[in-house]
Amino acid sequence: MRFRHWILIAATTAALAATRPDSDINFAKHMLDGGQNEPAAFMDVNRDGKLDIVSGENWYEAPKWTRHHFRKMLFSGNYIDDFSDLPLDVNGDGNTDIVGCGWFSKSLWWDENPGKAPGDWKRHEIDGGFNIEFCFLVDLDNDGKKREILPQFGNVPAPLAWYEVVNGKTVKHVVAPKSEGHGIGAGDINKDGRNDILTPNGWYEAPADIRAGNWAFHADWKLGQTGFIYALDVNADGRMDVVTSMAHDYGVFWLEQPVSGTWKKQMIDDSWSQPHAMTMVDLNGDGRQDLVTGKRFMAHNGKDPGEREPLGVYWYEYLQPDEKGAVEWVKHTVDYGGRTGGGMQIPVADVDGDGDLDFAVGGKSGVFLFENLTKKFK
């Protein structure tokens, strides 16, 4: 089956003779669990060399996706209080642990992988006192590894902070005395070789010493409630742009960085709402970053714009800008009109080891694996 694709044009009108994109990627959808969840993550839980899937209270063992219950979570208001699952060996014992965060528990924590020992994983508190919407693993020390924890606190009075692992313990670094609202990310906006922190209200410029220096704030934009925020030179003009989405409204879009003056919002797609989670990755192997996203199911229990409209999972193919700088995104519909949405976290990896990229989603309607069939049928 070949899913439809649409061409979405931003910045300028593309030439009518533009080359048609290659055939779409075919995915096989596997429902691993019909229970309520929010995030999903790939990690080798049992150190057998295979990537497993973690979501909520369970992990699913590859390759048959056998379910294992390994921890207990607070459940309130149709939410399981687990809004991110970040694989990270915190204590350095060789077993991959999980960093998580909760809105209702107002907590940032890590769950210790006991290896072959029986029983639930032990929880260790990292920080608390403020609601946390989600968190990221990012590269803030610019060593090429995403090992720093960057949470998006849901309360403005919460200090904007990041956390690093040092000798088996987490160390907190405060960037600013308050947070900047719904949405967060990291990327090198000014191309000085250091990753900055991106927020819905502007960006914090990384100092030479990220642990002791001053993070200067640049109030270059005001976006509202966004999801994950990425940096990408979309139109290949040498200046870094911003790619993000409206987490509780309509719109996947990018911000064009000008030579001077106001950043310009360029819409990619505003035909559906609730693109809360989005992952930027080269899904088709053409050397350009694509976007994988989907509509979160009942993000606010039906109270957000368009929340009761059909669910969908999509990826947007980023085409090389033409000689005039025209930018095109091709919309590929992976799944539409069923019970599968984008949830709070979309991990992408070659989970079955066949040479192409697969992805998973969690959400209130279940946990799903989308198996990429490209290599299987070549």
Side-chain angles (χ1 to χ4, degrees), residues 16 25 32 69 72 84 108 110 230 276 280 307 314 325:
L16 295 177
I25 299 173
L32 308 187
H69 189 277
K72 296 179 179 66
S84 295
L108 179 69
W110 67 279
Y230 296 97
H276 203 291
M280 195 167 72
E307 196 169 343
Y314 315 96

Side-chain angles (χ1 to χ4, degrees), residues 85-98:
D85 287 329
L86 309 180
L88 184 66
D89 182 3
V90 177
N91 58 1
D93 65 355
N95 296 316
T96 305
D97 310 301
I98 300 171

Side-chain angles (χ1 to χ4, degrees), residues 8 10 228 242-247 249-255 265-278 291-295 314 316 329 331:
L8 299 141
F228 302 164
V242 168
V243 182
T244 188
S245 62
M246 299 304 297
D249 211 323
Y250 292 88
V252 177
F253 62 95
W254 63 283
L255 288 179
K265 184 175 181 178
Q266 308 280 11
M267 188 61 64
I268 296 172
D269 191 3
D270 61 359
S271 65
W272 56 280
S273 71
Q274 315 303 310
H276 203 291
M278 184 169 66
L291 309 177
V292 183
T293 185
K295 182 184 181 71
Y314 315 96
Y316 293 85
W329 301 83
K331 179 182 182 179

Side-chain angles (χ1 to χ4, degrees), residues 117 132 142 240 305 349:
I132 302 178
N142 306 291
M240 200 65 81

Side-chain angles (χ1 to χ4, degrees), residues 73-121:
M73 293 285 185
L74 172 68
F75 187 87
S76 178
N78 290 322
Y79 298 90
I80 190 168
D81 196 36
D82 175 35
F83 289 90
S84 295
D85 287 329
L86 309 180
L88 184 66
D89 182 3
V90 177
N91 58 1
D93 65 355
N95 296 316
T96 305
D97 310 301
I98 300 171
V99 175
C101 59
W103 178 268
F104 299 97
S105 59
K106 298 183 179 181
S107 177
L108 179 69
W109 70 81
W110 67 279
D111 289 325
E112 183 178 354
N113 185 341
K116 295 182 179 181
D120 284 358
W121 294 20

Side-chain angles (χ1 to χ4, degrees), residues 19-228:
T19 303
R20 179 188 181 278
D22 292 335
S23 296
D24 208 341
I25 299 173
N26 289 328
F27 289 94
K29 181 172 73 171
H30 307 279
M31 187 171 82
L32 308 187
D33 194 324
Q36 290 173 290
N37 291 279
E38 292 292 347
F42 291 143
M43 59 180 279
D44 184 2
V45 175
N46 54 357
R47 300 181 69 177
D48 65 353
K50 300 181 180 68
L51 285 176
D52 310 298
I53 297 175
V54 173
S55 183
E57 295 183 335
N58 304 295
W59 69 276
Y60 306 85
E61 183 179 356
K64 296 184 178 180
W65 310 116
T66 305
R67 183 172 67 178
H68 301 272
H69 189 277
F70 74 107
R71 57 183 178 177
K72 296 179 179 66
M73 293 285 185
L74 172 68
F75 187 87
S76 178
N78 290 322
Y79 298 90
I80 190 168
D81 196 36
D82 175 35
F83 289 90
S84 295
D85 287 329
L86 309 180
L88 184 66
D89 182 3
V90 177
N91 58 1
D93 65 355
N95 296 316
T96 305
D97 310 301
I98 300 171
V99 175
C101 59
W103 178 268
F104 299 97
S105 59
K106 298 183 179 181
S107 177
L108 179 69
W109 70 81
W110 67 279
D111 289 325
E112 183 178 354
N113 185 341
K116 295 182 179 181
D120 284 358
W121 294 20
K122 182 180 178 180
R123 177 160 298 188
H124 303 266
E125 193 81 3
I126 297 174
D127 206 350
F130 298 99
N131 306 105
I132 302 178
E133 179 82 12
F134 52 80
C135 52
F136 262 161
L137 285 179
V138 297
D139 179 15
L140 289 181
D141 62 3
N142 306 291
D143 66 352
K145 301 175 183 178
K146 294 182 178 181
R147 290 181 50 85
E148 288 71 58
I149 304 162
L150 182 63
Q152 187 253 284
F153 290 103
N155 312 93
V156 170
L160 180 63
W162 62 277
Y163 305 75
E164 67 174 331
V165 174
V166 180
N167 297 324
K169 298 186 180 297
T170 53
V171 178
K172 181 177 182 178
H173 301 280
V174 175
V175 171
K178 67 179 183 67
S179 294
E180 295 291 338
H182 194 300
I184 205 158
D188 186 3
I189 291 294
N190 56 355
K191 289 192 171 183
D192 64 354
R194 299 191 291 266
N195 282 322
D196 311 300
I197 294 177
L198 318 180
T199 83
N201 295 326
W203 58 286
Y204 285 90
E205 181 179 351
D209 184 348
I210 60 170
R211 295 170 181 85
N214 175 56
W215 292 70
F217 184 62
H218 302 269
D220 287 349
W221 57 72
K222 200 170 185 65
L223 305 177
Q225 292 188 321
T226 69
F228 302 164

